[in-house]
Amino acid sequence: MNNLDGLAITAERIYASVGVNNELFIIERASGKILKQVSVPKPYGLAVSNSRLLVVSDTQVLTYTLDGEPQGVLVPSGTLTAPNALCVGTDGTVYVGDSGRIAIDIEWEGGTKQIHAFTAAGKPLRRIGKSGGAPRSGRFDSLGLAGCGHRHQG
């Protein structure tokens, strides 16, 4: 069974990623027709911003045209540990969740469990939340909650 890992929507298109198959689909919204299928290594989170498609691909964030043509690397490998999701703020700031992916072992510690913020050009701005995040079981640690305003790291 293949699961959808990422989804982004514009007025005319739907972008969908299936990480286990290394596939990115560009779909016409009106008809549901697949316009293009692009091979991308481990694509997960997707976002559309400023006429470009941002794709979490393995341990980096790549940029593509809205037609699925590769443009370059926004966030290089080595910056994030196990990125999964991303979104873009109204000011153009790119937020990437470095939380890993769901594993069979619920205590698996992939990623920093932080949100990393970058400029639209990929320059690191800050990290939100405590490295390691809040544990899935055991004593609750409110400082581990990314995005709750408790701790911002530069």
Side-chain angles (χ1 to χ4, degrees), residues 47-65:
V48 174
S49 177
N50 294 328
S51 298
R52 67 182 179 168
L53 178 65
L54 307 179
V55 180
V56 170
S57 173
D58 199 14
T59 60
Q60 60 189 345
V61 178
L62 305 176
T63 59
Y64 286 80
T65 68

Side-chain angles (χ1 to χ4, degrees), residues 3-8 16-20 24 40-47 54-62 75 79-88 94-103 108-116 118 136:
N3 294 318
L4 185 65
D5 290 298
L7 186 69
S17 63
V18 180
V20 70
L24 170 66
V40 178
K42 299 180 184 176
Y44 292 99
L46 304 173
L54 307 179
V55 180
V56 170
S57 173
D58 199 14
T59 60
Q60 60 189 345
V61 178
L62 305 176
V75 179
T79 306
L80 303 162
T81 306
N84 189 21
L86 78 155
C87 68
V88 180
V94 177
Y95 296 93
V96 182
D98 193 22
S99 58
R101 288 166 271 294
I102 296 172
W108 180 70
E109 292 296 324
T112 62
K113 306 292 191 271
Q114 294 174 299
I115 297 172
H116 294 249
F118 300 90
R136 291 186 185 206

Side-chain angles (χ1 to χ4, degrees), residues 109 111-114 129-136 141-146:
E109 292 296 324
T112 62
K113 306 292 191 271
Q114 294 174 299
K130 179 177 104 175
S131 183
R136 291 186 185 206
D141 180 0
S142 66
L143 294 178
L145 297 176

